Amino acid sequence: MAACTKLYQPTGSGEIPDTAGISKMLRQDVYALAEGIGERNHYHQAAYDRARDYIKREFEKAGYTVDEQTFTIPDEKDFAGAAGKTATNLEVRKPGTDPDAPWLIIGAHYDTRVGMKNWHCHGPVISGKTGTPGANDNASGIATVLTIARAMKDVPTRNGIIFVAYANEEPPFFQTDQMGSRQHARRIVKELGKDKIAGMMTPETLGVYSPRQNKKRNTRLAGSLVGILDRCDYVAFMSTLTGKKYAHSCAKTFAALNRFPVRAVTFGYLTRGIAWSDDWSYMKEGIPSFAITDTAYMRCDDYHETSDTADKLDYKQFSEVVHGLIKLTTALAGGTPAK
């Protein structure tokens, strides 16, 4: 099925927002995870634990109580080297003023890609091969979740908001039951019921916007097929049909609240590849979901490489996108409009 793509040009104020404070927080989190800790996954367990502890501390410093949700990796061939290890999701909740209003879920993964044969394969893990420090994928997503959570902590909202940092999005766990988001999606549906979840969105690579010469990505082909253009002067809301209405509605609201263009791109769920990140886990439960992304995986040579470092991110544009996401979150949750 062909992609359905729509560009939403901003209709809100054209004023350049003051994002200095947001930029400072994003830099802090990205540098702490990608440079201070580096590659973080079950194959670098000490670093993985440090990343978990850093995120937990930042949630707690913002005034939240953190629920650590753990699960054990089974002894299966695909997970060789990780079997028996404990994975941890970190969840915090901001209750709404209306107990009957559905919850909004915002979550991102904090693991990074382990060393494999090439940037796009799903395994096997190659022992001794260096993986990625994961600045854009996905310290940028975690930094976004933390920054939105900080901004929303004391904003009264009708709807409650659940913020999550997920374990195990990257291969060999991608689209398996060992994804942290798969574990969380099943758990939250069982606890709350689908009708009590308004939707889910996941920040997945959000820091790269500058045009660069690419040697590995066929960006012209990608652009002709799905509307992912080489010059990324927009943010993309990517969904399958389950999340189409929700993603397009959110894109329209996002465009009305800030000056950053947004492309909503929707695919039919036909192949393993047509699901972007942790949104897949909620789609499987029938929950409207989409990924918020800079589309770097289709156009940036640093994606899934050792060159995905904190200095490569475009913090000015990144912070403006996150400023818009804070406004979007406020609107979706029925809160006081953000300044």
Side-chain angles (χ1 to χ4, degrees):
M1 179 179 291
C4 171
T5 303
K6 183 172 181 178
L7 173 64
Y8 292 85
Q9 291 286 4
T11 58
S13 171
E15 292 185 16
I16 300 175
D18 181 3
T19 59
I22 292 175
S23 181
K24 182 178 180 180
M25 285 186 284
L26 295 174
R27 284 179 179 271
Q28 168 197 295
D29 295 333
V30 171
Y31 272 86
L33 291 168
E35 305 300 321
I37 296 175
E39 183 179 351
R40 47 201 180 276
N41 47 54
H42 283 306
Y43 304 90
H44 293 76
Q45 191 64 49
Y48 208 8
D49 293 345
R50 288 173 60 199
R52 176 203 62 207
D53 294 345
Y54 172 83
I55 297 164
K56 181 180 180 181
R57 285 196 303 272
E58 291 302 313
F59 273 136
E60 290 174 340
K61 283 161 59 175
Y64 292 96
T65 299
V66 179
D67 180 19
E68 294 190 35
Q69 302 171 355
T70 61
F71 57 99
T72 302
I73 307 303
D75 187 6
E76 297 179 9
K77 181 181 178 181
D78 289 345
F79 310 136
K85 293 187 176 181
T86 300
T88 305
N89 292 333
L90 302 172
E91 181 196 277
V92 303
R93 299 190 184 189
K94 178 198 176 306
T97 57
D98 181 354
D100 293 324
W103 292 80
L104 171 66
I105 301 173
I106 305 175
H109 72 91
Y110 66 94
D111 63 317
T112 60
R113 184 172 175 85
V114 70
M116 291 184 176
K117 184 177 180 180
N118 53 51
W119 66 270
H120 54 78
C121 73
H122 285 255
V125 174
I126 298 178
S127 179
K129 185 178 173 73
T130 302
T132 170
N136 196 41
D137 185 17
N138 195 30
S140 69
I142 287 293
T144 298
V145 171
L146 288 172
T147 300
I148 297 173
R150 293 166 183 137
M152 298 302 301
K153 179 63 177 68
D154 297 320
V155 176
T157 58
R158 175 176 176 269
N159 301 72
I161 309 172
I162 299 172
F163 298 100
V164 197
Y166 304 115
N168 296 4
E169 187 267 359
E170 296 287 356
F173 308 106
F174 186 64
Q175 292 189 11
T176 72
D177 287 344
Q178 306 316 311
M179 281 181 78
S181 57
R182 189 79 181 102
Q183 297 278 330
H184 185 267
R186 286 173 167 167
R187 173 173 175 161
I188 205 71
V189 166
K190 184 176 181 180
E191 176 191 346
L192 300 177
K194 279 198 303 184
D195 61 330
K196 288 295 185 180
I197 303 171
M200 180 270 182
M201 50 189 181
T202 180
E204 170 68 20
T205 69
L206 262 184
V208 176
Y209 301 93
S210 296
R212 300 171 185 168
Q213 183 177 3
N214 296 314
K215 299 179 180 179
K216 293 184 298 186
R217 307 295 195 268
N218 191 344
T219 51
R220 290 186 179 180
L221 175 60
S224 66
L225 289 176
V226 300
I228 302 301
L229 305 184
D230 190 20
R231 181 180 178 89
C232 187
D233 53 357
Y234 59 90
V235 62
F237 289 5
M238 312 283 278
S239 71
T240 61
L241 291 177
T242 304
K244 178 180 178 180
K245 184 176 179 180
Y246 188 61
H248 280 260
S249 174
C250 289
K252 185 176 181 179
T253 301
F254 181 91
L257 294 173
N258 74 104
R259 66 184 202 119
F260 213 93
V262 54
R263 290 180 182 273
V265 184
T266 305
F267 286 88
Y269 184 67
L270 299 178
T271 70
R272 181 185 181 97
I274 307 304
W276 309 109
S277 182
D278 293 302
D279 54 308
W280 174 83
S281 298
Y282 297 84
M283 177 203 74
K284 296 288 283 185
E285 298 298 321
I287 296 171
S289 57
F290 63 94
I292 309 162
T293 177
D294 59 14
T295 71
Y297 50 85
M298 298 186 78
R299 59 176 186 80
C300 179
D301 284 350
D302 298 317
Y303 175 75
H304 277 186
E305 300 288 358
T306 56
S307 57
D308 182 14
T309 53
D311 61 300
K312 302 284 181 57
L313 273 59
D314 308 306
Y315 292 95
K316 182 177 180 180
Q317 293 94 328
F318 183 15
S319 60
E320 190 165 337
V321 170
V322 174
H323 180 268
L325 291 176
I326 292 169
K327 285 189 170 185
L328 172 62
T329 302
T330 304
L332 293 176
T336 305
K339 296 181 179 178

Short mmCIF file of all heavy atoms in Angstrom, two decimals, residues 4-10 227 229 233-235 248 251 255 260-265:
data_model
loop_
_atom_site.label_atom_id
_atom_site.label_comp_id
_atom_site.label_asym_id
_atom_site.label_seq_id
_atom_site.Cartn_x
_atom_site.Cartn_y
_atom_site.Cartn_z
N CYS A 4 0.41 7.51 2.60
CA CYS A 4 -0.42 8.71 2.57
C CYS A 4 0.36 9.80 3.29
O CYS A 4 0.65 9.67 4.48
CB CYS A 4 -1.75 8.44 3.27
SG CYS A 4 -2.76 9.92 3.53
N THR A 5 0.76 10.84 2.56
CA THR A 5 1.60 11.88 3.12
C THR A 5 0.91 13.23 3.01
O THR A 5 0.38 13.57 1.96
CB THR A 5 2.95 11.96 2.39
OG1 THR A 5 3.58 10.68 2.46
CG2 THR A 5 3.86 12.99 3.03
N LYS A 6 0.93 14.00 4.08
CA LYS A 6 0.38 15.34 4.03
C LYS A 6 1.30 16.29 4.80
O LYS A 6 1.71 16.00 5.93
CB LYS A 6 -1.02 15.39 4.63
CG LYS A 6 -1.66 16.78 4.53
CD LYS A 6 -3.11 16.79 4.96
CE LYS A 6 -3.72 18.17 4.81
NZ LYS A 6 -5.16 18.19 5.19
N LEU A 7 1.63 17.41 4.16
CA LEU A 7 2.44 18.44 4.80
C LEU A 7 1.52 19.46 5.44
O LEU A 7 0.65 20.03 4.77
CB LEU A 7 3.34 19.12 3.77
CG LEU A 7 4.13 20.34 4.28
CD1 LEU A 7 5.11 19.94 5.37
CD2 LEU A 7 4.85 21.03 3.12
N TYR A 8 1.70 19.67 6.74
CA TYR A 8 0.95 20.69 7.46
C TYR A 8 1.86 21.89 7.70
O TYR A 8 2.79 21.84 8.52
CB TYR A 8 0.44 20.14 8.80
CG TYR A 8 -0.62 19.07 8.67
CD1 TYR A 8 -0.25 17.74 8.49
CD2 TYR A 8 -1.96 19.39 8.71
CE1 TYR A 8 -1.22 16.74 8.38
CE2 TYR A 8 -2.94 18.39 8.59
CZ TYR A 8 -2.56 17.08 8.43
OH TYR A 8 -3.51 16.10 8.31
N GLN A 9 1.61 22.95 6.95
CA GLN A 9 2.39 24.16 7.14
C GLN A 9 1.91 24.87 8.40
O GLN A 9 0.71 24.85 8.73
CB GLN A 9 2.23 25.10 5.94
CG GLN A 9 2.90 24.58 4.68
CD GLN A 9 4.41 24.69 4.72
OE1 GLN A 9 5.00 25.09 5.72
NE2 GLN A 9 5.05 24.33 3.62
N PRO A 10 2.83 25.50 9.14
CA PRO A 10 2.42 26.17 10.38
C PRO A 10 1.42 27.28 10.14
O PRO A 10 1.57 28.06 9.19
CB PRO A 10 3.74 26.69 10.95
CG PRO A 10 4.68 26.72 9.79
CD PRO A 10 4.27 25.62 8.89
N GLY A 227 7.51 10.69 0.53
CA GLY A 227 7.51 12.09 0.89
C GLY A 227 8.52 12.46 1.96
O GLY A 227 8.38 13.47 2.64
N LEU A 229 11.81 13.94 2.41
CA LEU A 229 12.68 14.74 1.57
C LEU A 229 14.08 14.83 2.14
O LEU A 229 14.30 14.74 3.35
CB LEU A 229 12.09 16.13 1.39
CG LEU A 229 10.65 16.15 0.84
CD1 LEU A 229 10.20 17.58 0.62
CD2 LEU A 229 10.53 15.34 -0.43
N ASP A 233 13.60 20.02 6.82
CA ASP A 233 13.24 21.25 7.51
C ASP A 233 11.84 21.12 8.08
O ASP A 233 11.04 22.05 8.10
CB ASP A 233 13.34 22.45 6.57
CG ASP A 233 12.53 22.25 5.29
OD1 ASP A 233 11.95 21.16 5.13
OD2 ASP A 233 12.49 23.18 4.48
N TYR A 234 11.52 19.90 8.55
CA TYR A 234 10.22 19.59 9.10
C TYR A 234 10.40 18.46 10.11
O TYR A 234 11.45 17.84 10.20
CB TYR A 234 9.25 19.14 8.00
CG TYR A 234 9.75 17.92 7.25
CD1 TYR A 234 9.43 16.63 7.67
CD2 TYR A 234 10.58 18.06 6.14
CE1 TYR A 234 9.93 15.52 7.01
CE2 TYR A 234 11.07 16.95 5.47
CZ TYR A 234 10.73 15.69 5.90
OH TYR A 234 11.23 14.60 5.25
N VAL A 235 9.36 18.19 10.87
CA VAL A 235 9.32 17.00 11.73
C VAL A 235 8.25 16.10 11.14
O VAL A 235 7.27 16.57 10.56
CB VAL A 235 9.02 17.37 13.19
CG1 VAL A 235 7.67 18.03 13.35
CG2 VAL A 235 9.13 16.15 14.09
N HIS A 248 -2.60 12.45 12.15
CA HIS A 248 -2.95 13.62 11.35
C HIS A 248 -3.61 14.71 12.20
O HIS A 248 -3.37 15.90 11.99
CB HIS A 248 -3.86 13.21 10.19
CG HIS A 248 -3.11 12.61 9.04
ND1 HIS A 248 -2.78 13.31 7.91
CD2 HIS A 248 -2.59 11.37 8.86
CE1 HIS A 248 -2.11 12.54 7.07
NE2 HIS A 248 -1.98 11.35 7.63
N ALA A 251 -0.81 16.31 14.07
CA ALA A 251 -0.01 17.13 13.16
C ALA A 251 -0.70 18.47 12.90
O ALA A 251 -0.04 19.53 12.89
CB ALA A 251 0.22 16.39 11.85
N ALA A 255 0.90 22.07 14.00
CA ALA A 255 1.12 23.14 13.02
C ALA A 255 0.44 24.43 13.44
O ALA A 255 0.91 25.53 13.11
CB ALA A 255 0.63 22.70 11.65
N PHE A 260 7.02 25.41 13.05
CA PHE A 260 7.80 24.33 12.46
C PHE A 260 6.89 23.43 11.64
O PHE A 260 5.91 22.88 12.16
CB PHE A 260 8.48 23.51 13.56
CG PHE A 260 9.82 22.94 13.17
CD1 PHE A 260 10.99 23.63 13.44
CD2 PHE A 260 9.90 21.72 12.52
CE1 PHE A 260 12.23 23.11 13.08
CE2 PHE A 260 11.12 21.19 12.15
CZ PHE A 260 12.30 21.89 12.44
N PRO A 261 7.17 23.23 10.34
CA PRO A 261 6.31 22.38 9.51
C PRO A 261 6.33 20.92 9.98
O PRO A 261 7.31 20.45 10.55
CB PRO A 261 6.93 22.50 8.12
CG PRO A 261 7.77 23.73 8.16
CD PRO A 261 8.27 23.83 9.57
N VAL A 262 5.24 20.21 9.70
CA VAL A 262 5.16 18.80 10.09
C VAL A 262 4.55 18.01 8.94
O VAL A 262 3.60 18.45 8.29
CB VAL A 262 4.31 18.63 11.38
CG1 VAL A 262 2.95 19.26 11.23
CG2 VAL A 262 4.20 17.17 11.77
N ARG A 263 5.14 16.85 8.65
CA ARG A 263 4.60 15.92 7.66
C ARG A 263 4.01 14.71 8.38
O ARG A 263 4.69 14.06 9.17
CB ARG A 263 5.69 15.45 6.69
CG ARG A 263 6.18 16.52 5.75
CD ARG A 263 7.27 15.99 4.81
NE ARG A 263 7.76 17.05 3.96
CZ ARG A 263 7.23 17.39 2.79
NH1 ARG A 263 6.20 16.71 2.33
NH2 ARG A 263 7.71 18.38 2.08
N ALA A 264 2.76 14.42 8.09
CA ALA A 264 2.14 13.20 8.61
C ALA A 264 2.20 12.14 7.51
O ALA A 264 1.72 12.38 6.40
CB ALA A 264 0.70 13.47 9.02
N VAL A 265 2.84 11.02 7.81
CA VAL A 265 3.04 9.96 6.82
C VAL A 265 2.45 8.66 7.37
O VAL A 265 2.81 8.23 8.46
CB VAL A 265 4.53 9.77 6.49
CG1 VAL A 265 4.70 8.72 5.40
CG2 VAL A 265 5.19 11.08 6.10
#
